[in-house]
Amino acid sequence: MRSKNLVFYTSLVISLGLIGIGVFLPKQLEKFSNGSLNFIYNNLGWFILGSVFIFFVFCMYIGLSKFGHIRLGDDTDRPEYKTATWIGMLFSASIGISLVFWGVAEPVSYYINPPFGKASSEESSKLAMQLVYLHWGVSAWACYALVGVSLAFFQFRKKLPSSLSSVFYPIIGEKIRGPIGKGIDVIVILSIVIGIATSLGFGTLQVNSGLNFLWGLPINVSVQTFIIVVVSVIYVASTVSGLQGAMKHLSNLNMFLAFALLAFVLFLGPTQTIFKVFFQGVGDYVQNFVGMSFRTEPYSDSKGTWIASWTLFYFGWWIAWAPLVGSFVARISKGRTIKEFMMGAVFIPVLGSFFWFAVMGGSAIHLIQNMGETALATAVSTDVTSALFKFFDYFPMATFLSILAMALVLIFFITSANSAVFVLGMFSENGNPNPSHIIKIIWGIIIAAISVVLIMTGGLAGLQSALVATAVPLAILMLIMCYSTYKGLKAEMHLMKENQNKKTDKKVTVAEKKAL
C-alpha cells in the first residue's frame, strides 16, 4: 500500500465494511442505528449543542477582532469573484435537496407536534418558525464558515495542501503529512460520504413519494434503489466526461427553477402572511437564540426525544456537511478578508433559507391554521416525504409544480454529488486539486451503495442516526480546529507586525541617509 494512497485505501475499506454489514447483517445494523441516536442524545447531546454554539462564537470573534483584517491569501490578492457573484454562490450553497424536502414538512411537523406548549395553535405556529430558523440559521453556517475560513487561511495564506489535515499545522507541524494527519483526513472523508449519502437518501425518498403521488408508482426499496442507480450513473459520468461546463449551466438552471417555484408560491399564496411570518420568525429567533441553542430538556424524557430527533439531527447534519461545504466556500473566497468572509458566509445564506421556509412553511401553516385545511397536517404527520406534493394540491397547476419539485431534487442530487465526489477525490489524494477519475468513480459508487444500505436498514431513522453518529468525532476535530486556527492567526499577526516594523525601520534608515 503506497503511502500517498493510504488515506484513500483506509477510507475505502471502512466504507466497504459499512456496506457489507448493511448487506449481510441488516438487522444488526438497524438495531445499532435505532439505538445510537438515543445513546448520543443521553450522553453527548449537550456536547453537540455546546460545540455548535462555540463554533458560532469563534467565527464572530475572529471576524470582528483584529484578525478580521487578515486576507485569505497574499496581501496583494484580491477576490476572484465580484461581491454580487460571490453572494450568489454562497446563497446557492444554502439551497439544495434538504430545503426542498423539508420546506413544508418541517414547519408543519413542529406546528402539530411542538416540543412544548399546545399543539396546532397560534403559539405552536410561532414556535414552529423559531425552531426552523434555529435549525437552519447561523448555527449551521458557523459550522461551514469555521471549516471554510480555516482551510482558506492555511491553503491560500500559508500555502499548505488543500486538505483538512493542513488546518492542524500549528499544533502538529509536519505530522500533518504522517499518520496523524492521514487519520484526520480519513475521519473527514467518512463524514462527507455519510453526509452526501444521507442527502441522496432523503432526496430518493421524496422522489419516490412524488412518483407514487402522481402516477401510483409503489414506494419500496426496489424503486428507491433504481432511482439511486440512475442518478449515480449521471453524476459519476459527469465527473469524468468533461461536462463540468454543462454541470455549471445545469446548476444555474436549477437555481432559476428554485426561485421560480418560490415566486409562484409567494405571489399565488398568502403573500402578506408570508412576509409577516418572515419578519416575526426572524425577530423571535434573534430574541430566543441563546436559550434555544442550549435547550436539552433534562427533566422531560418525551421532549428529550423530540430534541434528539430534530435539533440534534440537524446540528449533526451541519457538522457532518461542514468539510464539504466549507471546502466549497473556501475555494470561492480566496482574496477576501476574514471579516468579509464571516459577514457573508454566516449571515447572507441564512436569510435566503429563512425566506424559503417563510414562503413554503408559512403558507402551509396558514392553510391549516387559518383556512381549516387540516388534511395537510394529517398528510405531513403520516408521511413527511409526501408533504410538499400534498401542499401543491392547494395551488393551480399542482401536477406541474410537483414535477418541477422532483426535477429540482434530481438536479440537486447530481450537482451536490458531483461536487462531493470531486472533494472526496481531492482529500483522498492528499489535497490533489485534480484527483484521478478512477478515485472519483469509486467514491461515486460508494456513496450510492451507502445510500441504499441506509434506506434498507432504517429509512429516515437510519439516515438520521448515521449522521449524528458521524458528527461526534468530527465535532471534536472542529473544536481543536478552533484552537489551531487561532494559534495560526495569532502567529500571522505577529509576523505581519514584524514585517511592518522592518518596513518602517527601512524607511527610517533611508530617510536618515538622505538627511546626511
Side-chain angles (χ1 to χ4, degrees):
M1 185 180 296
R2 292 179 295 176
S3 176
K4 70 176 184 178
N5 289 328
L6 182 62
V7 171
F8 169 67
Y9 287 126
T10 303
S11 306
L12 181 61
V13 168
I14 296 174
S15 299
L16 290 173
L18 177 61
I19 294 170
I21 293 174
V23 172
F24 298 107
L25 300 171
K27 292 184 179 179
Q28 287 82 348
L29 183 60
E30 183 177 6
K31 182 178 180 181
F32 169 79
S33 181
N34 291 336
S36 62
L37 191 63
N38 287 332
F39 172 82
I40 291 172
Y41 173 75
N42 291 330
N43 296 276
L44 296 171
W46 59 270
F47 171 72
I48 292 177
L49 296 178
S51 296
V52 171
F53 190 80
I54 289 173
F55 301 154
F56 172 70
V57 172
F58 178 77
C59 287
M60 293 300 97
Y61 168 67
I62 65 172
L64 299 175
S65 68
K66 58 184 179 181
F67 299 131
H69 300 291
I70 297 177
R71 199 168 290 278
L72 300 174
D74 298 330
D75 288 334
T76 56
D77 286 339
R78 290 298 179 267
E80 296 181 60
Y81 303 98
K82 294 181 179 179
T83 300
T85 302
W86 182 65
I87 290 174
M89 296 173 77
L90 287 173
F91 182 66
S92 69
S94 72
I95 293 182
I97 297 172
S98 309
L99 281 178
V100 178
F101 186 95
W102 293 110
V104 170
E106 187 176 350
V108 174
S109 294
Y110 301 162
Y111 169 74
I112 60 179
N113 182 30
F116 55 87
K118 183 180 179 181
S120 301
S121 63
E122 182 180 352
E123 178 188 6
S124 68
S125 63
K126 294 178 181 178
L127 180 62
M129 299 312 297
Q130 285 185 52
L131 294 169
V132 168
Y133 287 0
L134 170 68
H135 296 157
W136 295 79
V138 295
S139 301
W141 276 88
C143 297
Y144 299 160
L146 168 61
V147 175
V149 75
S150 301
L151 184 59
F153 172 74
F154 288 103
Q155 179 182 351
F156 300 133
R157 183 87 180 182
K158 309 308 293 183
K159 313 304 180 186
L160 291 171
S162 54
S163 179
L164 260 293
S165 56
S166 297
V167 174
F168 299 90
Y169 187 86
I171 299 177
I172 61 177
E174 289 300 319
K175 291 181 181 179
I176 63 170
R177 309 180 198 277
I180 296 177
K182 295 184 186 303
I184 292 171
D185 288 334
V186 167
I187 294 174
V188 168
I189 286 173
L190 292 174
S191 75
I192 293 175
V193 169
I194 294 296
I196 194 67
T198 300
S199 280
L200 187 60
F202 275 121
T204 299
L205 294 175
Q206 189 170 41
V207 170
N208 192 181
S209 178
L211 294 173
N212 172 264
F213 182 77
L214 292 172
W215 299 297
L217 204 66
I219 298 178
N220 56 42
V221 174
S222 298
V223 174
Q224 292 158 6
T225 301
F226 177 76
I227 294 171
I228 290 175
V229 169
V230 171
V231 172
S232 300
V233 168
I234 296 173
Y235 74 69
V236 169
S238 69
T239 63
V240 299
S241 62
L243 295 178
Q244 296 304 311
M247 293 301 298
K248 179 180 179 181
H249 293 308
L250 193 63
S251 180
N252 291 336
L253 172 63
N254 214 32
M255 285 296 299
F256 172 77
L257 294 177
F259 281 117
L261 182 63
L262 196 69
F264 190 94
V265 177
L266 174 63
F267 293 112
L268 292 184
T271 307
Q272 292 297 326
T273 299
I274 288 170
F275 281 107
K276 290 178 181 179
V277 167
F278 175 70
F279 283 99
Q280 174 84 41
V282 171
D284 291 341
Y285 167 69
V286 173
Q287 183 180 0
N288 299 287
F289 171 68
V290 175
M292 291 191 298
S293 296
F294 289 105
R295 185 180 298 281
T296 59
E297 298 293 346
Y299 307 112
S300 174
D301 291 338
S302 60
K303 299 310 178 185
T305 302
W306 189 99
I307 291 172
S309 299
W310 287 107
T311 303
L312 285 182
F313 159 61
Y314 271 115
F315 281 19
W317 191 335
W318 307 137
I319 292 172
W321 267 77
L324 175 58
V325 180
S327 298
F328 167 76
V329 174
R331 188 164 65 248
I332 66 173
S333 301
K334 182 180 179 181
R336 296 194 176 273
T337 65
I338 291 178
K339 182 177 181 179
E340 286 179 291
F341 179 93
M342 287 302 172
M343 294 303 101
V346 174
F347 294 106
I348 292 176
V350 167
L351 292 176
S353 299
F354 283 4
F355 194 66
W356 178 277
F357 278 106
V359 172
M360 298 297 180
S363 297
I365 292 177
H366 170 76
L367 286 170
I368 300 168
Q369 174 76 9
N370 299 333
M371 306 298 292
E373 300 291 351
T374 56
L376 179 57
T378 303
V380 172
S381 62
T382 303
D383 180 16
V384 294
T385 64
S386 67
L388 185 63
F389 307 110
K390 298 291 179 68
F391 171 69
F392 287 148
D393 260 354
Y394 297 93
F395 290 84
M397 299 186 294
T399 300
F400 169 76
L401 291 177
S402 296
I403 294 174
L404 176 60
M406 285 193 295
L408 281 170
V409 171
L410 288 171
I411 299 174
F412 279 134
F413 265 172
I414 297 167
T415 53
S416 298
N418 186 276
S419 300
V421 168
F422 180 84
V423 172
L424 286 169
M426 185 175 66
F427 286 172
S428 297
E429 295 187 344
N430 303 315
N432 179 10
N434 297 298
S436 63
H437 290 329
I438 185 63
I439 286 184
K440 290 188 289 185
I441 291 172
I442 290 173
W443 281 126
I445 295 172
I446 291 295
I447 288 171
I450 291 180
S451 297
V452 173
V453 167
L454 291 175
I455 288 175
M456 289 173 57
T457 56
L460 289 175
L463 298 172
Q464 291 176 348
S465 300
L467 264 179
V468 177
T470 306
V472 174
L474 195 56
I476 296 173
L477 281 180
M478 290 171 67
L479 287 171
I480 301 173
M481 188 184 298
C482 290
Y483 172 70
S484 182
T485 302
Y486 171 77
K487 192 173 181 181
L489 292 173
K490 189 175 181 180
E492 186 66 18
M493 286 293 296
H494 181 70
L495 181 62
M496 291 170 64
K497 186 175 181 180
E498 284 187 347
N499 291 336
Q500 185 63 38
N501 290 337
K502 288 180 181 179
K503 290 180 181 179
T504 302
D505 292 341
K506 187 176 181 179
K507 288 180 180 179
V508 171
T509 302
V510 171
E512 289 175 347
K513 288 182 178 180
K514 288 182 177 180
L516 294 174

